[in-house]
C-alpha cells in the first residue's frame, strides 16, 4: 500500500484533472466511473466533501479499488469480499472466477534494502510502474525476467498519467492456471458503460418510485455526541436533513440530561445558551422543511429521498411533541407542512402569466386558460411523484387539492377586482362554473382515480358568486346602453347627415339594421348567460329590456333633431316607413322573451307601439298638409269646371300608397285604411260646407263627375284597405245628386241609411243644398223620410255602428235655409202656389 503522504498527493483535485486530461476521455472516464460505482455517497455532495475532505474521500475509494480487485485478493492487507460482491461493475468472468490468487512475482534485480513486494499487491504500487513497461502478456519468472528498481517516493508526483495507465492495465490482467500465462481481455467501451449505467440508474429510480413509503419507520441511531451548532446548521442549509435531525435529537437529549443533572454543576448561562441554540436550530430546520415543501413541485423528480426525510422529520417531531426539551412556540409540524404546501400552490398560481388589461384586450381569458393548464400539470406531478414521497397518513393529493381550492378562490377574488368589461365578467364566471370542475381542469382523466374521491368545489366566500353575477347584470345593462348610443351615432353619421336613402331588403321592404343590431346584442348576452346559469340568463335579459324601454323615445328625439333639415318630403316619408318597419321587427324579436320577462316586454311593446303610431301619424300629417289645398277646392264651381285639383289629390294619394307598399304588414294595412278613411271623409266633407249649389240642371254634370272620381279613388284603395265599407258612399251621394225627379230622391235613402246609419238630417240637408234643393216641400219630405228610416233601423237616438262612423266625424256649415229643417211637417203642407 502507498503511504499516507503518497495518497494525499494522489488525491489532490488538480492531479485528478491532470489524469483525465493526459489519459484521454476513455482513461479518465473509466477511472472516475470506477470510483463513483464503488463510492458509498455521491461524489458531488458538498456535505461529504466538507465532512471527509477530498483527500480522505479519494484515499478511501482508491483503497476500495485495490481491495476489490481480484488480482489483490491474496494480499495480506485485503480482508474484504471480492470486487464483484461489492456492488461494482462486472469484470470479465475469467477474472471473477479466480479462487486462488497468482503467486507473487519477485524481481531479481531489486537493489539491496528495497522492500520485496509484488506489483499486484496494492493499488499504491501500481502507480510505481514505468510508463514504458508492457503488460499485454506476462511470462513466468523462468521464461522472462524484468529488471526493476524501486522508485523513490518523489516519483509518485512525476506523472499521474503513468499511475492511471498502470491501474487500467492491472485490472485487465487475467491468469491461466494451466500454462501460467496472463492474457489481456478487452474491456467494454466507455460509451457502452455509460449507457448501461444510465439504464441502471433509471431502473433504480423507477423501482424507488414504485415503492410506496410505509407509515412506520425505524429511526437511525442517534449519535451520543452531537455535532457543533455550526455544523448542524450547515447540514440544515445544505438539506442533509436526516443527519441534521439526528444530531438535533442528540443535542436535545444532551440538553435534557444536563438540565436533569445537578444544577450546581451546570451553569445556568450555558443551559440558556444551549436552549437558545436548540431553538434556533429547530426553527431553522422547520423553515428548511417548509422551503423544501414549497418548492417540491418545481424540483426534479430525484427529490423523492429528500421529501421522505422531510416526512420522517415531521413524524418524529410529532411523536416527541410531548417530551420535555421541546421548543416553545414552534407550532404544529404537520400544520407547518400544510402551510408550506399552500404557499407553494400560491406561488405556482402567481407564476402564471398575467397581462394588464391595457396591454391585451383578452388578458383575463388568456390568463384563465394558462391557470387551468398550470393547475392540471401541478396536480399530475403531485399524483405521479410527490404522493409517493410521503407516508399515506399525509394524504398528499387531498392536501394539495384542498390548498388549490383555497388558493384559486383567493386568486379569483383578486382578479375580479380588476374586471371592468362585460366579456371579462363572462370569462370569470364561465371559468368558475363551467371550466374549473370540468374535465378541462379538476375532472381531468389524468387525475383519476384520486380525484374521484375528492371534493372538487372552490372555497369561495359566501355571496361571492351572487355578487359577481349582480355585477355582470349591471355591466350588461350599461353595455346595452352604450351599444344603443353607438347605434344612434352610426345611424346619424351614415344616414341622416348624408341624407342617404334607406336600403331595401330581399322582400323589397325599406329596412334598417338597427333592430338586428339590438336583437343580436340581447341574444348574445342571453346565450352567454345561459351557458353560465339559466337564472342569470333571465336576469341579464330583463336588464337589457329595461334599458331598451327608453330607446324608442331617445331614438325619436334624435331623429326629429337630425332630420329637421330634410327638405325632400319623399325622403322623410321613406325614413318614417323604414323606422316603422324597424321597430315593429324589434318588437317581434323581443316577444320571444315574454315568458321569462313579461313585465319588461309589455313596457317595451307599449313604447314601440307609441313610436310606430307617432311615425305613422307624422307620415299621415305630412300627406294631409300636402293635399289639404286641393281638397278645399272640391265641390266648388272650379271643381265642376276642371279636374286639376282632383288630379293633384289623386296623384299624391297614389304616390303615398305606392310608397306604403314598402311598409311591412300589418302596419301597411292599418296605415292605408286610415289614409283611405281620411280621403273619403275629406272628399265628402266638402259637400257639408255649402260652398256651392248646382243650378240650371248642373247637378247631372256634378253627379257624373263625382261618380267618375269616386271610381278612381275606390280602385286605388280597393286592394290595400280594410275599410271596404267606405266604397258605397260615393255611389249613394251620386244617386241623390244626379236624381232628376226630386220626389224620387227619398227612394235612395233606405240603402244609404242602412250603410251609413250615422247620417243626420243636417248632413242630408247639405247634400240637398249642393243638389240645388235648398227649400220646398220636396226637401222636407226627404228629410222626414230620413227620420222615419232611422227610427225603423233603431238608430234615431245614436250615430249607429261606431265601427262605421263616417258622417258623425263631419262638421256641417249651417245656412239660413237650414232653419226650415226643424219646422213641423204639417206647417209645410201648403199649396205649391
Amino acid at each position: 500500500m502507498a503511504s499516507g503522504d503518497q495518497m494525499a498527493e494522489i488525491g489532490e483535485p488538480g492531479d485528478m484533472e491532470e489524469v483525465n486530461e493526459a489519459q484521454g476521455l476513455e482513461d479518465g472516464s473509466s477511472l472516475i466511473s470506477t470510483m463513483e460505482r464503488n463510492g458509498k455517497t455521491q461524489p458531488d455532495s458538498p456535505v461529504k466533501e466538507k465532512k471527509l475532505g477530498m483527500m480522505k474521500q479519494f484515499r478511501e475509494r482508491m483503497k476500495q479499488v485495490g481491495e476489490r480487485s481480484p488480482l489483490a485478493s491474496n494480499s495480506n492487507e485485503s480482508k474484504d469480499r471480492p470486487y464483484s460482491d461489492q456492488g461494482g461493475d462486472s469484470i470479465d468472468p475469467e477474472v471473477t472466477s479466480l479462487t486462488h490468487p497468482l503467486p507473487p512475482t519477485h524481481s531479481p534485480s531489486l537493489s539491496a534494502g528495497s522492500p520485496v513486494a509484488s506489483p499486484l499487491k496494492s493499488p499504491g504500487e501500481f502507480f510505481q510502474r514505468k510508463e514504458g513497461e508492457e503488460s499485454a502478456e506476462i511470462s513466468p519468472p523462468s521464461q522472462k525476467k524484468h529488471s526493476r528498481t524501486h522508485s523513490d517516493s518523489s516519483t509518485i508526483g512525476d506523472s499521474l498519467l503513468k499511475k492511471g495507465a498502470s491501474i487500467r492495465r492491472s485490472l485487465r490482467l487475467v491468469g491461466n492456471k494451466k500454462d501460467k500465462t496472463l492474457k489481456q481481455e478487452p474491456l467494454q467501451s466507455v460509451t457502452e458503460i455509460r449507457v448501461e449505467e444510465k439504464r441502471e440508474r433509471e431502473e433504480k429510480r423507477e423501482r424507488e418510485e414504485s415503492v410506496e413509503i410505509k407509515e412506520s419507520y425505524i429511526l437511525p441511531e442517534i449519535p451520543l455526541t452531537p455535532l457543533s451548532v455550526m455544523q448542524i446548521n450547515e447540514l440544515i442549509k445544505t438539506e442533509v436533513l436526516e443527519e441534521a435531525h439526528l444530531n438535533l435529537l442528540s443535542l436535545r437529549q444532551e440538553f435534557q440530561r444536563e438540565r436533569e443533572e445537578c444544577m450546581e454543576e451546570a451553569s445556568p448561562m450555558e443551559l440558556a445558551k444551549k436552549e437558545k441554540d436548540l431553538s434556533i436550530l429547530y426553527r431553522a430546520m422547520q423553515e428548511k422543511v417548509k422551503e423544501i415543501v414549497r418548492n417540491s413541485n418545481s424540483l426534479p423528480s430525484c427529490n423523492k429521498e429528500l421529501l421522505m426525510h422531510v416526512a420522517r422529520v415531521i413524524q418524529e417531531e410529532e411523536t416527541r411533541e410531548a417530551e420535555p426539551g421541546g421548543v416553545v412556540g414552534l407550532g404544529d409540524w404537520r400544520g407547518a407542512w400544510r402551510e408550506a404546501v399552500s404557499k407553494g400552490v400560491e406561488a405556482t398560481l402567481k407564476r402564471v402569466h398575467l397581462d394588464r388589461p391595457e396591454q391585451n384586450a383578452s388578458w383575463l381569458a388568456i390568463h384563465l386558460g394558462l391557470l387551468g393548464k398550470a393547475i392540471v400539470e401541478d396536480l399530475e406531478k403531485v399524483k405521479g411523484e410527490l404522493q409517493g414521497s410521503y407516508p399515506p397518513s399525509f394524504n398528499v393529493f387531498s392536501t394539495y387539492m384542498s390548498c388549490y381550492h383555497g388558493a384559486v378562490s383567493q386568486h379569483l377574488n383578486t382578479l375580479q377586482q380588476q374586471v371592468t368589461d362585460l366579456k371579462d365578467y363572462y370569462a370569470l364566471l364561465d371559468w368558475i362554473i363551467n371550466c374549473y370542475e370540468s374535465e378541462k381542469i379538476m375532472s381531468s382523466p389524468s387525475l383519476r382515480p384520486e380525484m374521484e374521491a375528492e371534493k372538487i368545489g372552490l372555497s369561495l366566500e359566501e355571496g361571492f358568486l351572487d355578487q359577481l353575477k349582480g355585477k355582470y347584470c349591471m355591466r350588461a345593462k350599461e353595455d346595452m346602453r352604450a351599444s344603443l348610443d353607438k347605434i344612434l351615432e352610426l345611424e346619424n353619421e351614415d344616414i341622416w347627415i348624408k341624407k342617404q336613402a334607406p336600403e331595401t331588403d330581399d322582400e323589397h321592404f325599406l329596412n334598417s339594421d338597427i333592430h338586428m343590431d339590438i336583437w343580436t346584442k340581447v341574444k348574445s348576452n342571453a346565450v352567454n348567460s345561459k351557458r353560465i346559469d339559466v337564472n342569470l340568463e333571465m336576469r341579464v335579459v330583463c336588464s337589457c329590456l329595461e334599458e331598451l324601454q327608453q330607446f324608442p323615445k331617445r331614438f325619436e328625439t334624435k331623429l326629429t333633431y337630425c332630420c329637421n333639415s330634410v327638405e325632400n318630403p319623399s325622403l322623410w316619408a321613406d325614413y318614417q316607413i323604414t323606422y316603422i318597419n324597424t321597430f315593429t321587427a324589434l318588437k317581434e324579436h323581443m316577444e320571444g322573451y315574454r315568458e321569462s320577462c313579461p313585465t319588461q316586454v309589455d313596457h317595451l311593446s307599449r313604447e314601440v307601439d307609441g313610436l310606430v303610431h307617432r311615425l305613422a301619424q307624422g307620415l299621415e300629417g305630412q300627406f294631409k298638409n300636402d293635399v289639404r289645398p286641393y281638397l278645399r277646392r272640391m265641390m266648388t264651381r272650379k271643381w265642376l269646371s276642371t279636374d286639376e285639383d282632383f288630379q293633384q289629390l289623386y296623384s299624391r294619394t297614389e304616390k303615398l300608397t305606392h310608397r306604403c307598399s314598402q311598409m311591412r304588414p300589418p302596419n301597411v294595412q292599418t296605415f292605408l285604411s286610415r289614409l283611405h278613411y281620411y280621403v273619403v271623409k275629406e272628399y265628402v266633407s266638402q259637400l257639408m260646407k255649402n260652398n256651392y249649389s248646382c243650378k240650371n240642371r248642373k247637378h247631372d254634370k256634378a253627379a257624373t263627375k263625382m261618380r267618375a272620381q269616386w271610381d278612381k279613388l275606390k280602385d286605388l284603395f280597393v286592394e290595400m284597405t280594410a275599410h271596404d265599407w267606405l266604397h258605397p258612399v260615393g255611389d249613394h251621394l251620386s244617386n241623390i245628386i244626379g236624381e232628376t225627379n226630386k220626389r224620387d230622391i227619398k227612394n235612395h235613402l233606405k240603402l244609404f241609411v242602412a250603410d251609413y246609419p250615422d247620417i243626420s238630417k243636417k248632413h242630408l240637408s247639405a247634400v240637398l243644398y249642393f243638389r240645388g234643393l235648398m227649400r220646398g216641400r220636396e226637401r222636407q219630405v226627404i228629410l222626414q223620410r230620413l227620420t222615419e228610416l232611422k227610427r225603423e233601423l233603431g238608430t234615431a237616438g245614436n250615430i249607429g255602428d261606431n265601427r262605421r262612423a263616417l258622417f258623425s266625424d263631419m262638421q256641417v256649415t249651417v245656412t239660413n235655409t237650414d232653419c226650415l229643417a226643424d219646422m213641423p211637417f204639417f206647417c209645410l203642407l201648403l199649396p205649391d202656389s
Side-chain angles (χ1 to χ4, degrees):
M1 296 293 289
S3 65
D5 294 336
Q6 292 171 331
M7 294 304 298
E9 182 179 355
I10 295 171
E12 288 295 323
D15 294 342
M16 194 69 228
E17 293 176 359
E18 291 177 5
V19 170
N20 286 337
E21 292 177 2
Q23 196 66 17
L25 178 62
E26 178 180 350
D27 298 343
S29 300
S30 300
L31 182 58
I32 295 172
S33 298
T34 303
M35 292 160 55
E36 289 181 354
R37 285 194 300 270
N38 292 280
K40 298 302 181 181
T41 59
Q42 297 181 357
D44 58 348
S45 172
V47 177
K48 291 298 183 181
E49 290 176 359
K50 293 183 179 180
K51 182 178 178 181
L52 302 175
M54 178 65 76
M55 293 183 293
K56 182 179 179 181
Q57 190 178 31
F58 184 82
R59 187 184 304 118
E60 289 179 355
R61 290 174 182 171
M62 291 303 301
K63 181 180 178 181
Q64 292 170 0
V65 171
E67 291 173 346
R68 293 176 184 178
S69 172
L71 301 178
S73 59
N74 197 36
S75 175
N76 294 331
E77 293 85 0
S78 177
K79 297 180 180 180
D80 292 341
R81 292 176 297 170
Y83 178 77
S84 60
D85 296 335
Q86 298 299 318
D89 288 352
S90 300
I91 309 297
D92 190 276
E94 292 187 37
V95 178
T96 57
S97 65
L98 293 175
T99 57
H100 300 285
L102 292 173
T105 303
H106 302 280
S107 174
S109 60
L110 291 176
S111 58
S114 299
V116 179
S118 171
L120 305 178
K121 272 190 175 184
S122 65
E125 292 178 323
F126 289 152
F127 285 89
Q128 298 178 15
R129 296 173 64 105
K130 293 184 179 180
E131 184 178 359
E133 282 189 55
E134 297 294 336
S135 59
E137 184 174 350
I138 303 178
S139 301
S142 60
Q143 299 178 4
K144 187 175 182 179
K145 295 182 180 180
H146 299 274
S147 177
R148 297 187 180 183
T149 58
H150 185 272
S151 300
D152 190 72
S153 60
S154 61
T155 61
I156 297 176
D158 290 343
S159 176
L160 289 174
L161 179 63
K162 300 176 183 179
K163 301 166 186 176
S166 298
I167 290 177
R168 191 178 70 256
R169 288 195 296 270
S170 298
L171 290 176
R172 288 186 296 188
L173 292 176
V174 295
N176 191 321
K177 194 171 182 180
K178 291 182 179 181
D179 58 8
K180 297 182 180 181
T181 302
L182 296 178
K183 297 182 178 180
Q184 177 182 1
E185 295 294 336
L187 290 176
Q188 290 177 285
S189 66
V190 177
T191 304
E192 292 175 350
I193 293 174
R194 285 182 172 178
V195 172
E196 184 178 352
E197 289 177 355
K198 182 178 180 181
R199 184 172 61 253
E200 289 177 356
R201 286 197 299 268
E202 290 178 353
E203 291 176 355
K204 180 180 179 182
R205 188 180 73 247
E206 291 176 358
R207 288 194 301 269
E208 290 176 351
E209 291 177 353
S210 62
V211 176
E212 182 179 354
I213 305 298
K214 295 182 179 180
E215 190 68 35
S216 60
Y217 66 96
I218 299 175
L219 183 69
E221 183 179 357
I222 300 175
L224 294 177
T225 303
L227 297 175
S228 67
V229 173
M230 294 299 294
Q231 289 175 318
I232 297 174
N233 188 52
E234 189 65 25
L235 291 175
I236 293 173
K237 287 182 179 179
T238 53
E239 299 180 352
V240 187
L241 297 186
E242 183 179 27
E243 189 172 352
H245 187 234
L246 291 175
N247 281 276
L248 257 179
L249 294 177
S250 177
L251 184 63
R252 181 174 175 178
Q253 291 176 354
E254 184 181 83
F255 171 72
Q256 292 174 5
R257 287 193 303 269
E258 291 179 0
R259 192 169 59 176
E260 291 171 359
E261 289 175 356
C262 297
M263 298 303 297
E264 61 274 4
E265 296 180 3
S267 171
M269 293 294 294
E270 292 182 1
L271 283 176
K273 181 179 180 298
K274 184 167 291 188
E275 183 177 15
K276 182 178 179 181
D277 292 340
L278 193 62
S279 175
I280 291 174
L281 290 175
Y282 259 107
R283 293 186 186 279
M285 171 66 79
Q286 191 176 86
E287 289 301 318
K288 177 56 68 174
V289 165
K290 289 163 69 175
E291 178 187 343
I292 293 171
V293 173
R294 278 197 308 271
N295 302 327
S296 58
N297 243 11
S298 59
L299 295 177
S301 57
C302 61
N303 194 41
K304 180 173 182 177
E305 185 177 358
L306 182 60
L307 290 177
M308 183 188 69
H309 292 325
V310 166
R312 296 313 186 195
V313 168
I314 294 173
Q315 285 180 297
E316 185 64 25
E317 287 302 322
E318 285 179 336
T319 60
R320 296 174 179 268
E321 185 177 2
E323 292 183 4
V327 178
V328 179
L330 192 59
D332 177 26
W333 280 81
R334 190 72 63 104
W337 175 76
R338 294 192 190 94
E339 179 186 353
V341 170
S342 180
K343 294 294 184 183
V345 167
E346 291 176 7
T348 300
L349 299 184
K350 289 179 180 178
R351 286 194 297 268
V352 178
H353 178 73
L354 176 62
D355 286 327
R356 292 193 300 273
E358 58 271 17
Q359 291 177 323
N360 192 336
S362 302
W363 66 278
L364 185 56
I366 294 174
H367 174 71
L368 292 174
L370 296 175
L371 186 68
K373 182 180 179 182
I375 293 172
V376 173
E377 290 176 352
D378 205 37
L379 289 176
E380 285 174 351
K381 191 168 185 180
V382 171
K383 174 190 172 186
E385 298 178 9
L386 300 189
Q387 188 171 227
S389 302
Y390 293 91
S393 64
F394 278 74
N395 296 321
V396 176
F397 192 85
S398 178
T399 302
Y400 269 88
M401 177 62 61
S402 177
C403 290
Y404 261 109
H405 291 335
V408 171
S409 300
Q410 186 62 36
H411 186 66
L412 294 175
N413 187 40
T414 303
L415 286 177
Q416 69 92 17
Q417 298 174 10
Q418 307 176 45
V419 174
T420 56
D421 293 340
L422 182 65
K423 61 179 178 56
D424 294 332
Y425 278 114
Y426 170 77
L428 193 59
L429 283 168
D430 181 62
W431 193 86
I432 294 172
I433 295 175
N434 295 328
C435 296
Y436 185 74
E437 298 181 8
S438 71
E439 291 187 356
K440 296 179 181 179
I441 305 178
M442 287 303 180
S443 296
S444 173
S446 62
L447 301 180
R448 297 172 185 169
E450 284 81 358
M451 182 57 69
E452 295 175 354
E454 299 296 331
K455 178 184 176 184
I456 59 175
L458 287 167
S459 305
L460 298 171
E461 296 179 2
E462 185 178 358
F464 176 81
L465 268 182
D466 290 337
Q467 181 183 6
L468 196 59
K469 290 177 182 179
K471 291 181 178 179
Y472 179 77
C473 291
M474 291 299 298
R475 187 59 198 174
K477 188 174 182 179
E478 295 173 2
D479 199 52
M480 188 70 195
R481 182 177 181 85
S483 298
L484 295 176
D485 290 339
K486 188 66 175 178
I487 287 172
L488 286 177
E489 181 181 346
L490 291 175
E491 195 73 7
N492 183 38
E493 293 176 355
D494 298 342
I495 306 296
W496 301 336
I497 291 179
K498 298 178 181 179
K499 296 179 174 57
Q500 185 76 29
E503 298 179 352
T504 56
D505 58 16
D506 296 337
E507 300 175 282
H508 304 291
F509 295 118
L510 290 174
N511 179 60
S512 170
D513 292 333
I514 289 177
H515 68 98
M516 287 302 300
D517 293 340
I518 296 174
W519 180 74
T520 302
K521 182 66 179 177
V522 176
K523 184 69 174 179
S524 64
N525 287 343
V527 171
N528 292 337
S529 304
K530 189 176 182 179
R531 292 196 190 105
I532 298 172
D533 187 354
V534 176
N535 292 330
L536 183 62
E537 176 195 14
M538 181 188 68
R539 293 173 59 184
V540 169
V541 171
C542 290
S543 298
C544 292
L545 292 179
E546 287 173 1
E547 186 59 43
L548 194 55
Q549 290 173 18
Q550 311 300 324
F551 183 66
K553 289 182 179 178
R554 290 171 55 204
F555 179 85
E556 183 180 12
T557 302
K558 188 77 172 178
L559 175 66
T560 305
Y561 175 78
C562 295
C563 296
N564 276 336
S565 59
V566 176
E567 299 177 356
N568 186 352
S570 298
L571 180 60
W572 176 238
D574 286 344
Y575 284 165
Q576 290 169 311
I577 294 173
T578 299
Y579 298 126
I580 288 173
N581 292 340
T582 297
F583 279 88
T584 301
L586 177 63
K587 175 185 173 182
E588 293 173 357
H589 290 320
M590 296 303 108
E591 282 292 327
Y593 301 108
R594 179 173 291 278
E595 184 177 352
S596 57
C597 307
T599 303
Q600 287 78 8
V601 171
D602 282 340
H603 289 167
L604 178 61
S605 297
R606 285 196 293 269
E607 292 296 328
V608 170
D609 289 343
L611 175 60
V612 170
H613 178 70
R614 290 189 294 272
L615 289 173
Q617 277 188 328
L619 186 61
E620 185 179 351
Q622 181 181 346
F623 173 76
K624 290 177 181 180
N625 294 332
D626 194 21
V627 301
R628 185 173 290 115
Y630 309 108
L631 285 169
R632 287 178 179 175
R633 290 193 285 270
M634 296 290 107
M635 312 306 165
T636 62
R637 187 185 304 274
K638 182 181 179 182
W639 168 79
L640 192 61
S641 61
T642 179
D643 288 338
E644 181 181 352
D645 292 326
F646 177 78
Q647 290 299 333
Q648 291 293 335
L649 171 65
Y650 181 82
S651 175
R652 282 162 171 75
T653 305
E654 185 181 33
K655 287 180 180 178
L656 182 57
T657 55
H658 178 72
R659 183 167 283 111
C660 287
S661 64
Q662 295 180 301
M663 185 186 296
R664 283 186 173 275
N667 294 308
V668 61
Q669 288 84 359
T670 302
F671 179 78
L672 288 178
S673 295
R674 291 171 57 183
L675 183 64
H676 184 200
Y677 180 85
Y678 173 77
V679 171
V680 169
K681 182 176 77 70
E682 291 300 318
Y683 186 87
V684 175
S685 294
Q686 305 310 313
L687 293 172
M688 307 301 152
K689 295 182 179 180
N690 296 325
N691 291 329
Y692 180 72
S693 180
C694 297
K695 298 178 182 179
N696 300 325
R697 301 186 65 85
K698 290 181 181 179
H699 61 87
D700 291 335
K701 183 180 179 181
T704 302
K705 192 167 193 174
M706 181 182 291
R707 193 182 300 278
Q709 292 178 353
W710 192 259
D711 288 341
K712 292 185 69 174
L713 291 174
K714 183 169 61 174
D715 292 341
L716 183 62
F717 288 107
V718 68
E719 295 180 358
M720 302 181 183
T721 180
H723 292 344
D724 53 353
W725 58 276
L726 292 173
H727 297 326
V729 66
D731 296 329
H732 291 311
L733 292 173
S734 297
N735 290 336
I736 292 174
I737 295 172
E739 182 60 50
T740 304
N741 190 348
K742 299 178 184 179
R743 294 181 180 180
D744 292 337
I745 292 177
K746 62 180 179 295
N747 297 330
H748 298 286
L749 294 180
K750 186 174 182 177
L751 293 177
F752 197 1
V753 174
D755 289 337
Y756 305 99
D758 63 330
I759 189 172
S760 66
K761 292 171 66 175
K762 291 182 179 180
H763 296 113
L764 185 56
S765 297
V767 174
L768 294 175
Y769 181 85
F770 181 80
R771 160 66 175 68
L773 192 60
M774 293 179 288
R775 61 183 63 86
R777 181 171 175 271
E778 290 81 2
R779 183 174 183 274
Q780 295 303 320
V781 171
I782 294 170
L783 295 176
Q784 184 62 32
R785 179 57 181 165
L786 175 65
T787 303
E788 293 173 357
L789 290 172
K790 288 175 68 67
R791 188 181 298 113
E792 291 174 4
L793 295 174
T795 60
N798 54 64
I799 62 173
D801 190 354
N802 290 330
R803 292 174 298 175
R804 295 191 173 187
L806 175 62
F807 289 94
S808 58
D809 289 342
M810 299 180 191
Q811 298 294 327
V812 180
T813 302
V814 179
T815 61
N816 293 331
T817 59
D818 289 334
C819 62
L820 299 176
D822 297 328
M823 186 178 297
F825 179 69
F826 65 87
C827 296
L828 299 175
L829 296 178
L830 298 173
D832 292 341
S833 60

